Amino acid sequence: MNPTKSSAISLRVNGETHSLTVDNRTTLLDALREHIDLTGTKKGCDQGQCGACTVLLDGRRANSCLQLAVAAEGRAVTTIEGMADGERLHPVQQAFLDFDGYQCGYCTPGQVCSAVAVIEEHAAGWPSAATADIRPETGPPPLDDNEIRERMSGNLCRCGAYVSIVRAVAEAAAQAAAVRESAGDTTPDGGSGSGTVPAGGSGARVTA
Amino acid sequence: MTAPTVSAPSTPMAVPSVSAATAAAGTTTSPAPTRTAGSSGAVGTSRTRLEGRAKVTGAARYAGEVPFAELAYGWLATSTVARGRIRSIGAEPVLAMPGVLAVLHHENAPRLKPGVGMMGPDATLQILQDDRVPHVGWPVALVVAETPEQARAAAEALVVTYDEEPHDVGFSSGHPGLHTPDGGPRARTDTEKGDIEAELAASAVVVDEEYTTPEEYHTAMEPHAAVARWEDGRLEVIDSNQGSHAVAQDLAKLFFLDATSVRVRSEHVGGAFGSKGLMRPHLIVAAMAATMLDRPVRVVLTRRQLFSMVGFRPATAQRIRLGAEPGGRLRALDHDATSFSSTINEYVEQSAQPSRVVYAADALRTRTRVVRLDVPTPSFMRAPGWAPGSFAIESAMDELAEKTGLDPITLRLRNEPEVGPASGLPFSSRNLIPCFEEGARRFGWTDRDPRPGTRRDGRWLLGTGMAAAAHSAGTAPSSASITAEADGTFTVRIAAADIGTGARTALTQIAADALETPLKTVRVKIADSDFGPAFLAGGSMGTASWAWAVTEAAAALREKLALVDQIPGEGTTARADTTELVMAMRGQERYAFGAQFAEVAVDVASGEVRVRRMLGTFAVGRVVNPLTARSQLIGGMIMGLSMALHEEGIRDTASGGLVNGDLAGYHVASNADVPVIEAGWVDDPDTYNPTGIKGLGEIGIVGVAAAIANAVWHATGIRHRSLPIRLDRVLTAGTAIENSIGGGAVTY
Ligand code: FES
Ligand code: FES
């Protein structure tokens, strides 16, 4: 047993390196909130059930309440505070603001971080439980409302902003696809490249 | 299975939500909000939230997020028995643990003033005052330490022993302890008009059924948090609550302090739904510890603690008896509502309320009974009474429609009252019929085939259902001040709370119009008890009450400004208090109304119910900000969907505790549970409150569970009278089609 109860670590958060001494029991979430004063990452349950604490770890979304700070050393942590480009909001943040994809705002940082990752996961061709055809040769599924709903379901919103969240994510995804297209990115990983992302699309795949 | 395959119902609404919203007959906001400022006409225009940027960037700080030097962390330890007395608290070894500063418990905690409470003496405020344990999860000690990790470990290590006593947590409508609540002015528990038994006996068609709803929990995403500290002789608090002024008043009384020496602020609140309306234990123990240690102390409740300390909606069992003529006109409406409270407070879930408002009947009786159990104290949860009550009465009305062979909307139109059915008072406005008409048109209700169990899409049975909704739209006294600054801008101060409602933005729009000034010249400061009395963000009364105070203050300020040549450096301020104006309001009943529509698909193999689309059409007075109003209404409807299909607190009778007290066990609707949902509104002029505003935080949830249950009946031919409509319940009950094929009809 290691008799040491605390550890000196350095955390790379939003491109900045922070040196801190943490109790070995400190979660990444508490390290961010209590030690680095980055309180944008929220604590809704502290036990991996709500998604409010979602951050990007090396570009992939993770519940920071389920990570120990000491285990996050050497990894790139991106929090909600690292999303905007100076004064310019990230397109996902702007879409949440414009479409009112929130009410109390407490789940919002987690939703935004998740949405940023969802758009990338989708563009990279990752299927979800809502994907009907997962054969690689069929390419990425269109990011329709059902895909967004499924992929965003790790983030609870008790205010019930889901309808607007889906629209905000669809809008931001359409923008991201347009950017990729104009950049000439037509690799299979780079989205469909043929405008199959229906902005604000319907749940039309479930036909009544 | 050889059920007939019939084509799906026509779904005019099943088009992309974006265009549907724009196409709707002027009743819904256009999806892209305008962000331009204007000197007038701010009210009625969609505005994005003023604090939106702070919220989407993570800059908005909630109560548990404000840093202080020397901050200490409190962690509550809670009881593990349902009833008894504390025999011992093993504080010694815990005090020796690293970083532990104090262990507060009933033997050493500061004494509190008894009898304090916002709505009468509230025993849930008497924390750490004696050895009584009234339920599992009652706070028995607070451990304070230098870090949250140390505080948590110490609280978990604290050994508390109890002398246990037998407990009772089992609720049913037949419980022998059910009694008439002691009532008080706020709680009219019984009403009676006409001879209910005689009218029932003379009725051609009778519905007599019991409907039940389970314990339901607010589960706001932000756990209750408070930091308390003494600064310059004042107790300064940052807390998550729905009304900083009322909380400050109670806090001062509780600690024997002068009202002016307590200040409570709650700038951003992460959802509440009623759970943050009253002062809660986290704040009381934080104030105790800050006083004892003379340093800032923060206490945040854990997700599990939220399931035993901040209220919940108690389970209800409601018997409805309807007696009608063959043409559907009601001769008798009897609504007998039962629920439970704790042994220490008598909270009454007023589930019979909707039956006093929505339908005319020759004889009308409502009764409310409650039993005291060894459980945490329930409290207001979004549309208290109205939400569970509407499930019962609106389900029963659907059963009456079935029995009389009438369309559910036609049946309701035939029972539209002229005046308040129980009170005989006039309605200040009643635009329920336009809600039915507009909703039916948009939803595509008119072509509906009334026969149940006849539409099929693969393994899914399809159905549609509707329900009426009503919620009180009251006004409460509030005060506000407005300062005309020397630079030409205005500062509004009001102890309102924005718990996600958009109140900050709405009040800015209202002030801009009242002052006839561009929106960008108005700054609204809220959620600070120093701003004076204001009603809390609750009861769908917040915005209507605050807006009146703001418009009165604006009028007073304009009068004042007419008399001054130049605004002095410190500005010119006017105050208004609406107490007298509000007290003069009497003689009318004021409500928001609505019509809820739902289409469901029921999986005959798994029993899963999926809501495919929902539409709510509401009469909610003057809509200040269509963008946020729509969000709030849809948010209510989603909570209604969640109530219909998912939410159920399960209490273990052996231990008395909640089995599923966390967000994994207590399922609230997630994104994948929620389909296209639309909310719109009809014209609803009503200046009984001169602002014309009715609240819309609660009307959205009312009626949804019944609309969904009625749709499930339409899909399957089976009534579900107990919420939530779980998979196992659907499977056990089966479908009318299956049952008839199987030969033995299953009655349910
Ligand atoms: S706080 Fe991490 S999942 Fe809820
Ligand atoms: S905005 Fe309040 S929980 Fe999502």
Side-chain angles (χ1 to χ4, degrees):
Chain A
M1 273 257 286
N2 181 358
T4 318
K5 298 256 166 65
S6 61
S7 305
I9 60 169
S10 65
L11 283 181
R12 201 147 50 84
V13 185
N14 303 329
E16 232 180 277
T17 302
H18 301 262
S19 301
L20 52 155
T21 302
V22 293
D23 190 310
N24 290 346
R25 297 166 293 191
T26 304
T27 60
L28 174 58
L29 175 59
D30 281 337
L32 293 168
R33 287 167 62 86
E34 304 295 336
H35 292 257
I36 313 180
D37 196 31
L38 290 175
T39 57
T41 308
K42 302 305 181 198
K43 186 189 284 187
C45 68
D46 212 15
Q47 48 191 19
Q49 299 171 342
C50 76
C53 63
T54 305
V55 297
L56 304 186
L57 267 187
D58 295 330
R60 287 169 62 168
R61 47 187 172 150
N63 288 339
S64 61
C65 71
L66 296 184
Q67 308 278 332
L68 289 173
V70 291
E73 254 205 314
R75 308 187 65 181
V77 183
T78 309
T79 71
I80 189 68
E81 290 91 344
M83 287 294 167
D85 177 8
E87 279 303 292
R88 227 186 66 234
L89 294 179
H90 187 285
V92 170
Q93 291 173 311
Q94 188 66 51
F96 268 71
L97 204 156
D98 288 344
F99 288 90
D100 210 40
Y102 59 111
Q103 292 179 43
C104 76
Y106 200 78
C107 74
T108 310
Q111 303 276 3
V112 168
C113 288
S114 252
V116 168
V118 160
I119 292 169
E120 281 172 19
E121 288 160 17
H122 169 260
W126 294 19
S128 81
T131 309
D133 188 346
I134 59 165
R135 288 170 301 162
E137 61 271 25
T138 57
L143 192 61
D144 64 14
D145 286 2
N146 283 327
E147 282 281 355
I148 295 172
R149 289 182 186 121
E150 173 62 31
R151 291 168 191 258
M152 290 296 293
S153 275
N155 293 81
L156 294 177
C157 174
R158 186 54 159 166
C159 293
Y162 297 129
V163 174
S164 304
I165 289 171
V166 170
R167 289 178 60 195
V169 176
E171 168 69 23
Q175 279 183 32
V179 168
R180 275 194 305 276
E181 209 167 321
S182 69
D185 180 358
T186 50
T187 61
D189 278 7
S192 63
S194 55
T196 50
V197 180
S202 70
R205 279 174 8 125
V206 180
T207 44
Chain B
M1 275 180 294
T2 54
T5 302
V6 179
S7 67
S10 70
T11 56
M13 208 192 81
V15 291
S17 58
V18 176
S19 57
T22 354
T27 56
T28 316
T29 173
S30 78
T34 57
R35 274 184 284 169
T36 52
S39 66
S40 60
V43 171
T45 310
S46 283
R47 305 274 171 186
T48 58
R49 291 166 204 264
L50 293 171
E51 73 285 4
R53 201 180 170 87
K55 282 181 175 173
V56 301
T57 57
R61 284 189 194 257
Y62 297 74
E65 301 176 341
V66 182
F68 290 100
E70 293 293 292
L71 181 65
Y73 296 81
W75 205 282
L76 279 168
T78 61
S79 64
T80 52
V81 305
R83 186 187 175 100
R85 289 186 183 276
I86 298 167
R87 189 191 307 151
S88 69
I89 296 210
E92 283 307 310
V94 165
L95 281 165
M97 288 176 73
V100 174
L101 298 165
V103 179
L104 279 69
H105 50 84
H106 65 282
E107 283 166 358
N108 66 357
R111 294 299 95 187
L112 300 171
K113 183 176 179 170
V116 176
M118 210 179 283
M119 341 205 78
D122 183 354
T124 68
L125 304 183
Q126 299 296 318
I127 303 296
L128 311 185
Q129 298 300 292
D130 61 31
D131 60 354
R132 258 271 150 233
V133 173
H135 61 79
V136 171
W138 172 255
V140 292
L142 180 79
V143 178
V144 190
E146 296 286 353
T147 73
E149 292 81 12
Q150 290 166 341
R152 176 184 188 165
E156 284 169 1
L158 184 73
V159 175
V160 181
T161 61
Y162 304 89
D163 291 318
E164 268 192 81
E165 296 165 13
H167 63 261
D168 176 13
V169 300
F171 168 71
S172 78
S173 60
H175 197 290
L178 281 163
H179 60 272
T180 307
D182 48 20
R186 286 181 179 280
R188 190 167 53 147
T189 57
D190 292 29
T191 67
E192 186 141 21
K193 185 189 79 174
D195 187 338
I196 198 86
E197 300 301 339
E199 293 294 342
L200 274 169
S203 293
V205 189
V206 171
V207 172
D208 181 354
E209 298 290 350
E210 182 175 275
Y211 304 85
T212 67
T213 65
E215 288 183 26
E216 291 159 0
Y217 287 79
H218 309 82
T219 61
M221 289 310 301
E222 180 209 15
H224 293 51
V227 57
R229 70 192 198 283
W230 282 92
E231 197 178 278
D232 303 328
R234 290 186 94 191
L235 182 58
E236 289 267 355
V237 168
I238 303 173
D239 177 43
S240 32
N241 66 56
Q242 293 172 240
S244 50
H245 187 266
V247 167
Q249 296 275 304
D250 275 2
L251 190 59
K253 282 184 209 149
L254 206 56
F255 284 82
F256 303 94
L257 297 168
D258 191 80
T260 56
S261 53
V262 175
R263 183 186 186 195
V264 174
R265 287 178 292 160
S266 45
E267 174 81 27
H268 296 292
V269 182
F273 316 111
S275 70
K276 295 170 182 169
L278 307 171
M279 186 163 37
R280 294 298 183 189
H282 65 288
L283 169 55
I284 298 164
V285 292
M288 282 178 173
T291 305
M292 285 173 72
L293 298 169
D294 198 20
R295 56 189 278 192
V297 176
R298 179 193 293 162
V299 179
V300 185
L301 298 184
T302 66
R303 181 51 64 183
R304 283 200 157 265
Q305 288 170 352
L306 291 165
F307 282 86
S308 73
M309 255 183 257
V310 301
F312 59 102
R313 197 196 303 284
T316 72
Q318 305 171 58
R319 183 182 180 197
I320 305 267
R321 293 189 297 165
L322 301 177
E325 294 173 352
R329 205 185 63 82
L330 284 172
R331 299 187 66 144
L333 194 175
D334 184 22
H335 193 152
D336 196 343
T338 63
S339 70
F340 62 81
S341 191
S342 68
T343 56
I344 59 171
N345 266 12
E346 189 152 275
Y347 169 82
V348 182
E349 185 77 10
Q350 293 275 3
S351 299
Q353 276 182 116
S355 292
R356 299 172 191 156
V357 174
V358 184
Y359 302 113
D362 295 333
L364 170 64
R365 189 174 75 157
T366 62
R367 297 201 323 161
T368 314
R369 298 292 178 267
V370 65
V371 55
R372 311 283 287 263
L373 301 174
D374 300 303
V375 296
T377 303
S379 76
F380 325 102
M381 175 167 156
R382 202 172 204 167
W386 300 96
S390 71
F391 168 65
I393 182 65
E394 294 299 318
S395 296
M397 285 298 277
D398 207 64
E399 301 204 38
L400 184 60
E402 178 194 352
K403 284 194 171 180
T404 52
L406 289 171
D407 174 76
I409 293 181
T410 308
L411 173 68
R412 285 166 172 83
L413 294 177
R414 290 194 183 163
N415 290 289
E416 180 73 3
E418 295 286 320
V419 294
S423 68
L425 293 172
F427 294 106
S428 60
S429 59
R430 184 177 169 107
N431 286 302
L432 178 56
I433 293 176
C435 293
F436 288 144
E437 289 168 346
E438 174 68 8
R441 191 186 64 71
R442 285 184 63 191
F443 189 78
W445 181 263
T446 0
D447 305 332
R448 180 179 186 259
D449 176 350
R451 293 172 302 152
T454 54
R455 289 147 300 271
R456 194 156 189 148
D457 172 16
R459 62 178 212 260
W460 300 93
L461 291 174
L462 307 180
T464 53
M466 61 82 56
H471 194 280
S472 56
T475 307
S478 292
S479 67
S481 76
I482 307 182
T483 301
E485 309 287 358
D487 64 1
T489 64
F490 297 88
T491 306
V492 180
R493 290 183 175 81
I494 182 163
D498 192 333
I499 56 177
T501 57
R504 187 184 281 101
T505 310
L507 291 174
T508 307
Q509 293 173 265
I510 285 155
D513 278 9
L515 293 162
E516 291 186 20
T517 185
L519 199 77
K520 61 178 187 297
T521 63
V522 179
R523 174 183 322 109
V524 173
K525 299 191 165 195
I526 62 168
D528 183 336
S529 62
D530 277 1
F531 296 162
F535 193 66
L536 48 89
S540 292
M541 293 160 80
T543 302
S545 303
W546 305 323
W548 196 356
V550 168
T551 48
E552 290 292 322
L557 181 65
R558 293 178 66 182
E559 271 177 37
K560 235 175 168 173
L561 290 177
L563 303 175
V564 297
D565 294 333
Q566 209 185 341
I567 296 170
E570 74 276 14
T572 300
T573 299
R575 275 194 71 80
D577 186 319
T578 58
T579 305
E580 279 177 28
L581 293 168
V582 172
M583 290 307 167
M585 293 174 88
R586 51 171 57 97
Q588 293 186 39
E589 291 197 13
R590 193 167 190 259
Y591 302 96
F593 292 97
Q596 306 275 12
F597 295 84
E599 178 182 335
V600 303
V602 182
D603 185 339
V604 294
S606 72
E608 184 183 11
V609 176
R610 301 280 309 173
V611 177
R612 289 199 169 181
R613 59 189 180 115
M614 290 208 297
L615 169 73
T617 306
F618 302 96
V620 285
R622 189 158 69 129
V623 173
V624 180
N625 184 348
L627 178 72
T628 53
R630 182 173 172 274
S631 292
Q632 223 183 337
L633 290 167
I634 290 177
M637 292 169 71
I638 289 174
M639 203 179 275
L641 181 159
S642 197
M643 170 184 178
L645 301 181
H646 307 309
E647 295 183 35
E648 181 174 30
I650 298 168
R651 199 159 284 284
D652 172 38
T653 49
S655 69
L658 203 63
V659 176
N660 58 338
D662 61 35
L663 290 173
Y666 184 84
H667 185 66
V668 300
S670 72
N671 205 322
D673 295 315
V674 175
V676 172
I677 297 182
E678 288 174 34
W681 44 86
V682 299
D683 277 349
D684 186 35
D686 182 340
T687 52
Y688 187 42
N689 169 324
T691 65
I693 297 166
K694 292 178 180 175
L696 39 73
E698 292 168 285
I699 185 74
I701 191 177
V702 181
V704 174
I708 290 172
N710 296 342
V712 170
W713 169 79
H714 190 229
T716 62
I718 299 292
R719 291 283 171 194
H720 286 269
R721 301 187 183 92
S722 291
L723 295 183
I725 307 173
R726 296 190 313 246
L727 281 69
D728 61 310
R729 284 179 165 153
V730 174
L731 279 181
T732 312
T735 69
I737 302 165
E738 275 178 336
N739 297 341
S740 62
I741 292 163
V746 177
T747 51
Y748 179 70

